[in-house]
């Protein structure tokens, strides 16, 4: 008798249950094998991926999330082609959450060919590995017919921070799918001033979809590209306040003196979130010319706006 | 009478409580020395126990280079706690914060990253920036459990620790636990013990009246506080309660930390913001309570101004992490974030350092006042440590315990203490009729609400003490018909211990401090001359509750007077005169 | 004092048609932090035995067959 729950269940017993006639028993055995750290358990689960019953295969795929190793990755990558959607999805999820660098070559091969589902899942799994060798397939996939594949490939390139990928990302910045364009704006965060991708990011501020514009402004706030300044000031007239809010944040981080009039106007917006962000931006810029507008904001009915304006006034006074 | 079934175990490091800090303590003790026998004891099942049973949607207090410095963090927490902090443990936490994030990341905990893989820290206000979202944070427990298995740490589930064992010379000796399904005993002799039993979250009664509808995971009922107390450890500042803003009736977090960066905010019935305070603190809770009670009440979480796409994103996060049944609660009441503000309220009282500041007194090495006994997380005295603090301080506790093991021998179990504890535990099973745990718990917690919840009044707290004494006599009539009921009967005894401690600690500090947390109507002023100190509560040799003051250690991060007073000016003084 | 027999509605519902407890599954019982679920050996399915629920949902999320539904306890609704 043991009181320890982490002690392995009797593996022989589990193996017998994994081979039971009854699919229900096999399915429950797969669940238990998730918690058995031995390599033999992984082998039983890999065999389970070939079970005739879909629910057993799905349980096996899910359980393999708890196991590591090249065999496991290979088996899960193969399961991305399972005829049953829930098995494929479980396999994709189990592949996505691992940091096994030596899995990269296999995943790269998987990303290069096959169904759109499998390729998108392979790119998703590759993203966090940031394997330089993945750049080539990802670049090619930017022209893929499936938007999911394009989106995941864009994300892989973002994590690689590779400047040579920027021409490709300039194309996905005008992709027909808003989701792909938005992912492109996110991926352009490491672009440096003067690099080709910078123009694509700035152009994103004029995208027809507001969520793409919002993401472009948010990314510009992170990357602080000076070439964004003029376009960001123009964005302070965007019809969507959420976009104006992110633009205000970016202008603050850019310390954009030329933005003072636009930010002062935003201080009188009816949206209190935007008033607060504009006050914060004026505080970042810290120029005495903003004082009159900020003094008015210091009497704002919203306490968050008031407090931010007071802080900003302190900074503008130097 | 037959001797109860009893197993025994030996451990170098025994960790009690397998929620957040506990697994990390066990992992780090084992990593520090793989030869150690590390045992993790859990009342529920480590897979899904504790405050983060369903994961978490973000770090509230991440100190990440480029966004905040450890010194800035220590300063802000010092101000938020009216200066009554030990800065050394705070600094130890802040210094360990970033390494812990990277360690968790390596274990596959998912944090939000930007398009190039850097942490996407969110700015919440113009001071330090500490919020790191975890939109896929539902995996946290899975990751911890996987690491426990990989390191082959002995996990004992479904055993509730009931008392700690100490040696004759006052050192820790192990613990006694009882199986919650069979009532079998487990006696663990251990060189060191780490207590990570979470908050005392079943102290006040939720406004709904449902005993288990608490803000905290309802398994966290103050066992850890009670065990530490009975083992002679000191507990600090228990009068500084935990009270949180929450979704009315649902009693879960309204999640300003999640909705804030998306533009959601706390508003009064006019739809306007009203919170002046910059810090999550008793001061903020005082403002919240005043608004609730005013003509502007009740208070709401407002997201009606946000775009549908944004709300969709918020819903995905809120309805899959942390307290995922939120969505179901709203749906039943027809509350759609797009159209209606969400009614909020404040929680029942509890002890929780995670959100507030009170708990078992520890230093920067997570040591309690009992040699060999460590504590971390919501039950230890490091203020505002939240989830990341439970991890960092749990790690410190595990590593320190591993070190201490090398210096001591395995203590003998004190047979008489074990027998006495078995008697206490089993008493409710030896009665055919009497009082049910449910009744005794309901009454105790109802009295906590009636007499201990702030605003605190001396005469009421004295009445509470009298009534608690009566209930203590009633414990002799508790009856448990099965092991499950026995667990509840034991929990009631921890709850009563905590209620007594809350009353005694609140009476001791004759001033008001920490905003609403210790708002005493008959001592409305903050009295820095007499009370700029910690209060420590412990059990004396005769088994009585004793109090002492403990000076605030000199600051390692100076907070200049203007910063303190700038903040004081913003505040509402806790006095009737304020309005 | 003598004890009363007391009825209470419980918030967690198990769909017997989907539950595979008879095949050896105990997942929901294993994960519940309040230990309020149990297996009915006669019916071969899980059920909520005690009305002490934190409506936290591991039982529902971890159930392999989607047999569990967590409702909000009546007093809170
Ligand atoms: C609803 C909610 C939302 C939160 N949101 C956030 C957030 O967004 N961000 C953030 O950073 N923090 C958040 N927190 C705080 C954070 O989750 C906690 O501070 C942290 O998880 C506490 O860890 P712990 O190890 O101290 O306690 P827990 O993780 O609660 O673990 C305590 C464990 O002890 C066990 N136990 C209790 N008594 C016994 C006994 N007698 N014997 C054996 N075992 C016992 C319990 O079963 C439990 O598993 C939130 C907390 C709650 C409750
Ligand atoms: S987890 Fe689901 S299938 Fe398993 S016993 Fe519980 S209800 Fe039945
Ligand atoms: S919701 Fe939580 S407390 Fe309720 S039965 Fe499910 S796991 Fe247990």
């Amino acid at each position: 008798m043991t009181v320890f729950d982490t002690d392995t269940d009797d593996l022989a017993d589990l193996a017998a249950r994994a081979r039971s006639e009854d699919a229900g028993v096999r399915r429950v055995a797969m669940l238990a094998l998730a918690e058995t750290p031995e390599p033999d358990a992984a082998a039983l689960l890999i065999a389970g991926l070939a079970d005739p019953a879909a629910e057993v295969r799905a349980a096996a795929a899910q359980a393999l999330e708890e196991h590591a190793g090249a065999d496991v990755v290979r088996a899960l990558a193969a399961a991305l082609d399972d005829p049953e959607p829930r098995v494929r999805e479980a396999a994709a999820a189990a592949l996505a959450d691992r940091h096994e660098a030596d899995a990269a070559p296999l995943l790269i091969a998987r990303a290069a060919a096959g169904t759109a589902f499998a390729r998108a899942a392979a790119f998703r799994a590759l993203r966090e590995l940031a394997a330089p060798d993945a750049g080539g397939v990802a670049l090619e996939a930017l022209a893929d017919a499936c938007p999911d594949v394009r989106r995941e490939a864009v994300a892989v390139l973002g994590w690689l921070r590779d400047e040579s990928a920027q021409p490709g990302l300039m194309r996905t910045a005008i992709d027909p799918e808003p989701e792909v364009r938005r992912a492109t704006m996110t991926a352009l965060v490491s672009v440096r001033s003067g690099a080709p991708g910078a123009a694509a990011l700035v152009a994103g501020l004029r995208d027809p979809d507001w969520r793409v514009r919002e993401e472009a402004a948010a990314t510009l706030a992170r990357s602080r590209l000076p070439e964004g300044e003029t376009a960001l000031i123009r964005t302070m007239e965007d019809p969507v306040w959420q976009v104006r809010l992110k633009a205000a944040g970016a202008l603050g981080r850019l310390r954009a003196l030329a933005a003072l009039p636009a930010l002062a106007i935003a201080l009188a917006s009816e949206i209190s979130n935007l008033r607060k962000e504009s006050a914060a931006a004026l505080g970042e810029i810290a120029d005495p010319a903003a004082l009159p507008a900020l003094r008015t904001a210091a009497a704002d009915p919203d306490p968050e706006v008031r407090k931010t304006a007071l802080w900003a006034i302190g900074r503008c006074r130097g | 009478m037959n001797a109860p079934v009893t197993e025994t175990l030996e451990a170098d490091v025994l960790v009690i409580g397998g929620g957040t800090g506990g697994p990390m303590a066990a992992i780090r003790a084992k990593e520090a020395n793989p030869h150690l026998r590390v045992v993790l004891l859990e009342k529920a099942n480590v897979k899904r126990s504790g405050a983060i049973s369903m994961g978490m949607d973000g770090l509230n207090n991440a100190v990440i280079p480029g966004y905040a410095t450890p010194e800035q963090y220590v300063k802000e927490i010092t101000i938020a706690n009216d200066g009554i902090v030990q800065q050394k443990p705070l600094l130890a936490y802040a210094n360990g914060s970033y390494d812990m994030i990277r360690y968790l990341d390596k274990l596959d905990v998912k944090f939000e990253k930007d398009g190039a893989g850097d942490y996407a820290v969110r700015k919440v206000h113009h001071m330090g920036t500490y919020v790191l979202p975890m939109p896929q944070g539902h995996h946290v427990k899975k990751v911890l459990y996987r690491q426990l298995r990989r390191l082959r740490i002995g996990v004992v589930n479904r055993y509730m620790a009931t008392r700690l064992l100490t040696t004759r010379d006052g050192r820790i000796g192990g613990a006694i636990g009882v199986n919650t399904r069979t009532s079998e005993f487990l006696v663990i002799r251990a060189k060191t013990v780490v207590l990570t039993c979470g908050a005392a979250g079943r102290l006040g009664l939720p406004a709904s009246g449902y005993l288990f509808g608490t803000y905290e995971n309802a398994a966290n009922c103050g066992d850890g506080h009670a065990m530490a107390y009975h083992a002679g450890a000191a507990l600090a500042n228990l009068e500084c309660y935990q009270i949180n803003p929450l979704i009315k009736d649902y009693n879960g977090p309204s999640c300003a930390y999640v909705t804030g960066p998306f533009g959601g905010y706390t508003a009064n019935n006019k739809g306007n913001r009203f919170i002046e305070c910059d810090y999550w603190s008793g001061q903020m809770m005082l403002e919240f309570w005043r608004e609730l009670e005013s003509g502007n009440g009740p208070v709401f979480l407002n997201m009606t101004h946000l775009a549908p796409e944004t709300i969709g994103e918020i819903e995905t996060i809120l309805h899959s992490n942390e307290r995922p049944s939120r969505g179901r609660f709203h749906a039943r009441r027809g509350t759609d974030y797009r159209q209606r503000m969400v009614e909020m309220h404040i929680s029942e009282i509890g002890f929780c350092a995670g959100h507030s500041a009170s708990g078992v007194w520890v230093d920067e090495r997570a040591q309690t006042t009992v040699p060999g006994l460590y504590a971390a997380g919501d039950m230890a005295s490091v203020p505002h440590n939240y989830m990341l603090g439970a991890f960092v301080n749990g790690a410190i506790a595990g590593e320190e315990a591993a070190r201490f093991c090398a210096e001591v021998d395995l203590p003998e179990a004190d047979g008489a203490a074990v027998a006495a504890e078995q008697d206490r535990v089993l008493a409710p099973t030896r009665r055919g009729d009497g009082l049910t745990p449910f009744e005794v718990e309901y009454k105790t917690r109802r009295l906590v609400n009636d007499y201990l919840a702030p605003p605190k009044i001396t005469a009421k707290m004295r009445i509470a003490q009298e009534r608690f004494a009566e209930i203590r006599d009633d414990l002799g009539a508790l009856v448990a018909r099965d092991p499950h009921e026995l667990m509840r009967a034991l929990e009631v005894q921890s709850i009563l211990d905590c209620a007594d401690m809350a009353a005694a600690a609140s009476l001791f500090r004759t001033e008001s401090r920490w905003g609403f947390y210790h708002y005493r109507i008959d001592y409305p002023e903050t009295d820095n001359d007499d009370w700029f100190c910690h209060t420590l509560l412990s059990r004396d040799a005769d088994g009585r509750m004793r109090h002492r003051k403990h000076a605030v250690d000199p600051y390692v991060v100076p907070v200049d007077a203007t910063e303190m007073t700038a903040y004081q000016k913003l505040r509402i003084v806790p006095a009737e005169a304020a309005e | 004092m003598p004890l009363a027999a007391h009825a209470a509605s419980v918030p967690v519902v198990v769909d017997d048609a989907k539950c595979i407890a008879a095949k050896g599954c105990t997942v929901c019982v294993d994960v519940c932090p309040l230990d309020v679920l149990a297996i009915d050996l006669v019916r071969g399915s899980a059920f909520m035995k005690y009305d002490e629920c934190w409506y936290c949902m591991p039982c529902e999320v971890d159930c392999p067959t989607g047999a569990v539904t967590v409702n909000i306890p009546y007093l809170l609704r």
Side-chain angles (χ1 to χ4, degrees):
Chain A
M1 243 281 306
T2 169
V3 295
F4 293 124
D5 276 21
T6 34
D7 279 1
T8 314
D9 267 329
D10 186 1
L11 199 63
D13 172 54
L14 274 176
R17 279 155 60 199
R19 287 189 209 100
S20 159
E21 297 278 282
D22 186 330
V25 173
R26 297 202 298 279
R27 180 187 201 173
V28 175
M30 298 297 133
L31 301 176
L33 286 166
E35 290 171 23
T36 313
E38 273 73 27
D40 290 350
L44 287 168
L45 288 167
I46 290 171
L49 283 178
D51 197 281
E55 68 270 21
V56 178
R57 298 200 302 279
Q62 204 184 343
L64 280 169
E65 190 174 331
E66 299 303 315
H67 291 266
D71 293 345
V72 172
V73 174
R74 194 169 309 114
L76 285 170
L80 294 173
D81 289 330
D82 196 281
E84 181 77 17
R86 62 186 151 140
V87 180
R88 296 200 294 270
E89 274 148 29
L95 276 176
D97 288 324
R98 52 184 69 229
H99 285 161
E100 289 173 73
D102 41 359
L106 203 126
L107 291 168
I108 290 171
R110 202 73 187 85
T115 64
F117 178 86
R119 301 180 59 213
F123 278 124
R124 170 68 190 80
L126 277 167
R127 184 203 301 171
E128 305 216 1
L129 297 183
D133 293 345
V137 267
L139 268 177
E140 277 171 40
L142 294 182
D144 197 275
C146 172
D148 287 347
V149 173
R150 298 200 298 276
R151 197 191 59 230
E152 294 298 346
V154 162
V156 167
L157 292 170
W159 279 60
L160 284 177
R161 306 171 190 232
D162 181 356
E163 227 167 80
S164 66
Q166 286 180 21
L169 291 174
M170 287 170 76
R171 280 197 305 280
T172 51
I174 49 170
D175 193 280
E177 279 300 318
E179 272 307 306
V180 178
R181 300 202 299 276
R182 188 163 179 239
T184 305
M185 297 305 138
T186 311
L188 286 170
V189 65
S190 56
V191 161
R192 277 177 317 199
S193 180
L201 193 52
V202 174
L205 291 173
R206 291 195 311 271
D207 194 279
D209 189 294
W210 74 268
R211 306 205 70 207
V212 179
R213 301 199 298 278
E214 183 192 36
E215 191 62 30
T219 304
L220 280 166
R222 286 183 185 279
S223 55
R224 291 192 236 194
L225 294 180
E227 51 259 69
E229 184 173 317
T230 314
L232 283 164
I233 293 174
R234 213 179 312 119
T235 301
M236 289 306 291
E237 288 165 25
D238 196 285
V240 179
W241 68 262
Q242 285 89 342
V243 179
R244 300 205 295 279
L245 184 138
K246 290 286 193 283
L251 287 165
R253 302 218 34 199
L254 278 171
R255 306 258 156 95
L257 265 181
L260 286 190
L263 289 169
I265 292 171
L267 265 189
S269 156
E270 62 189 30
I271 303 288
S272 62
N273 290 359
L274 180 57
R275 300 203 298 277
K276 178 184 171 190
E277 193 68 28
S278 304
L282 288 170
E284 301 273 359
I285 298 169
D287 190 272
L291 280 169
L294 283 169
R295 288 213 182 88
T296 315
D300 197 284
D302 187 304
E304 288 286 312
V305 180
R306 276 200 309 275
K307 280 185 292 181
T308 314
L310 283 173
W311 167 81
I313 286 171
R315 293 203 20 121
C316 291
R317 284 206 191 109
Chain B
M1 205 177 323
N2 294 333
V5 181
T6 307
E7 292 250 6
T8 54
L9 270 183
E10 292 174 4
D12 296 303
V13 179
L14 166 63
V15 181
I16 302 179
T20 314
M24 189 54 73
I27 288 167
R28 287 301 182 84
K30 190 80 178 177
E31 285 181 350
N33 180 355
H35 301 297
L36 294 181
R37 292 164 299 177
V38 178
V39 174
L40 177 58
L41 186 81
E42 166 59 49
K43 184 197 240 178
N45 185 315
V46 173
K47 264 190 259 182
R48 287 294 198 182
S49 61
I52 61 167
S53 74
M54 287 302 286
M56 215 48 10
D57 45 34
L59 299 177
N60 298 344
N61 56 341
V63 185
I64 297 182
Y67 295 94
T69 64
E71 288 71 25
Q72 192 178 9
Y73 175 81
V74 169
K75 203 186 258 188
E76 289 189 24
I77 299 294
T78 302
I79 296 171
N81 283 285
D82 293 2
I84 313 280
V85 292
Q86 294 162 284
Q87 283 193 338
K88 278 191 193 154
L90 276 177
L91 190 60
Y93 159 72
N95 283 331
S97 163
Y98 186 50
D99 281 345
M100 180 54 73
I101 294 171
R102 284 186 300 180
Y103 179 78
L104 292 167
D105 197 332
K106 204 181 78 195
L107 297 183
D108 288 350
V109 173
K110 297 269 165 236
F111 299 103
E112 186 157 284
K113 309 243 173 96
D114 70 11
D118 290 326
Y119 295 117
V121 182
R122 292 282 168 91
K123 210 170 168 63
V124 170
H125 50 66
H126 52 267
M127 290 189 241
T129 303
Y130 304 108
V131 174
L132 179 56
M134 304 167 66
Q136 300 166 55
H138 51 273
H139 284 320
V140 186
K141 287 242 65 164
K142 204 182 220 181
V143 168
L144 291 173
Y145 196 58
R146 188 186 297 155
Q147 189 66 0
L148 288 166
R149 285 196 316 271
R150 279 191 191 145
L151 295 172
R152 301 188 189 251
I153 289 166
V155 174
V156 184
N157 286 321
R158 302 289 173 199
Y159 274 89
M160 169 184 181
T162 65
R163 284 289 183 267
L164 299 174
L165 295 167
T166 46
T167 63
R168 213 158 290 133
D169 53 350
R171 177 157 76 78
I172 200 69
I176 304 175
V178 62
N179 189 296
T180 63
R181 291 174 175 176
T182 63
S183 297
E184 285 167 5
F185 282 92
L186 182 62
V187 175
I188 306 179
R189 291 167 58 202
K191 291 181 179 177
T192 59
V193 172
V194 178
L195 279 175
T196 42
C197 295
R202 244 157 76 200
L203 189 49
L205 186 65
S208 67
Y210 191 64
L211 284 187
F212 296 80
T214 45
Y215 180 87
E216 294 291 340
N217 185 321
N220 295 347
C221 61
D223 293 336
H225 296 77
M227 284 189 284
Y229 172 75
H230 289 289
L235 293 96
N237 304 322
L238 294 176
E239 64 279 15
C240 181
Y241 295 163
Q242 163 184 246
I243 299 167
N244 291 324
L246 42 72
I247 299 169
K248 172 93 169 49
D249 297 337
Y250 178 73
N251 216 3
S254 57
C255 253
Y257 281 104
V258 172
T259 59
F262 287 102
Y265 56 83
T266 307
N268 57 25
N269 72 23
K270 311 274 189 307
N272 296 325
R273 283 197 180 90
F274 63 88
I275 293 175
E276 300 278 350
C277 182
D278 278 320
Y279 302 95
W280 180 291
S281 61
Q283 193 56 39
M284 178 191 274
M285 252 36 86
L286 182 61
E287 293 177 16
F288 201 103
W289 173 72
R290 288 230 160 106
E291 201 76 3
L292 274 176
E293 302 290 311
S294 79
N296 289 334
V299 167
F300 297 89
L301 179 67
N302 186 19
M303 290 180 264
T304 54
H305 57 304
L306 302 183
E309 295 91 333
T310 312
I311 292 190
E313 214 170 309
I314 293 175
E315 282 174 342
T316 312
I317 299 170
L318 291 185
H319 302 172
S320 63
N321 282 325
E322 198 177 287
R323 295 294 275 140
S325 58
R326 268 186 278 233
R328 234 157 255 193
F329 172 79
H330 293 316
R332 258 206 115 93
R333 292 204 174 175
T335 310
D336 180 336
Y337 297 155
R338 291 159 193 82
Q339 273 122 38
R340 267 181 41 191
M341 301 199 295
V342 179
E343 186 183 349
M344 293 174 68
H345 198 65
I346 49 176
S347 71
E348 64 281 358
I349 69 162
F351 300 145
C352 173
H355 297 82
S356 173
S358 59
V360 176
W361 176 252
V362 292
D363 64 13
E364 64 276 17
R365 296 158 76 185
Q367 298 180 104
T368 69
T369 53
V370 174
L373 180 64
Y374 300 79
D378 282 352
M379 64 166 290
S381 64
V382 186
H384 291 247
N385 62 145
Y386 297 106
M387 177 172 66
L388 193 56
F391 282 135
V392 173
N393 298 326
I396 293 174
E399 286 161 7
E400 289 293 334
R403 199 164 304 147
F404 187 78
C405 280
E407 298 165 20
V408 291
D409 296 326
L410 190 71
E412 286 304 321
D414 173 347
V418 171
E421 178 58 3
Q422 290 183 328
D423 262 356
R424 179 186 79 96
V425 167
L426 292 178
T429 65
R430 297 186 171 134
R431 301 181 188 109
D433 57 20
L435 299 168
T436 64
F438 173 88
E439 294 168 294
V440 179
E441 177 170 342
Y442 184 89
K443 185 160 167 177
T444 306
R445 293 172 61 189
R446 198 261 297 168
L447 294 172
V448 166
N449 279 18
D450 287 351
Y451 296 111
L452 297 188
K456 304 180 186 178
I457 297 167
T458 306
K460 282 171 81 173
M461 293 193 282
R462 294 245 158 79
I463 297 176
Q465 289 184 311
E466 287 167 22
R467 306 298 314 270
F468 294 153
E470 291 162 20
I471 295 180
R472 205 162 275 286
D473 291 338
D474 296 339
L475 294 180
L478 266 178
V479 53
R481 295 167 301 178
D482 64 23
H484 182 87
E485 287 186 359
L486 181 60
M487 164 171 69
R488 297 286 178 242
L490 292 164
E491 289 177 341
V492 171
Q493 299 178 48
S494 298
I495 293 168
L496 186 61
D497 284 344
C498 289
D500 264 329
M501 289 194 267
S506 294
L507 282 165
F508 181 57
R509 188 183 280 277
T510 50
E511 63 154 359
S512 283
R513 193 175 284 274
W514 304 300
F516 197 48
Y517 296 156
H518 186 61
Y519 177 18
R520 285 191 75 167
I521 300 250
D522 34 13
Y523 296 92
E525 304 294 334
T526 297
D527 175 1
N528 278 330
D529 294 337
D530 276 336
W531 290 103
F532 192 83
C533 61
H534 302 281
T535 62
L536 297 187
L537 179 159
S538 57
R539 199 182 117 121
D540 70 11
D542 304 323
R544 279 175 313 208
M545 249 174 228
R546 279 287 167 267
H547 293 279
R548 63 196 146 97
K549 295 182 177 181
H550 185 96
V552 173
D553 287 343
Y555 290 162
V556 286
V557 178
V559 181
D560 70 61
T562 54
E563 281 171 297
M564 268 293 199
T565 47
Y567 175 65
Q568 302 285 341
K569 274 187 209 133
L570 266 183
R571 350 183 350 182
I572 307 168
V573 255
E576 300 90 332
E579 308 233 353
Chain C
M1 270 176 287
L3 304 178
H6 207 101
S9 68
V10 291
V12 170
V13 182
V14 176
D15 181 345
D16 284 1
K18 289 188 183 159
C19 177
I20 54 168
K23 310 288 181 194
C25 182
T26 56
V27 167
C28 57
V29 178
D30 290 346
V31 295
C32 174
L34 277 304
D35 207 9
V36 294
L37 303 175
I39 306 285
D40 181 332
L41 293 171
V42 181
R43 286 205 344 260
S45 61
F47 72 106
M48 185 171 231
K49 188 169 174 193
Y50 303 94
D51 173 30
E52 300 165 348
C53 179
W54 194 45
Y55 41 103
C56 48
M57 288 177 60
C59 54
E60 177 177 322
V61 171
D62 293 346
C63 169
T65 65
V68 182
T69 306
V70 174
N71 296 298
I72 303 294
Y74 177 70
L75 292 183
L76 279 62
R77 269 179 218 159

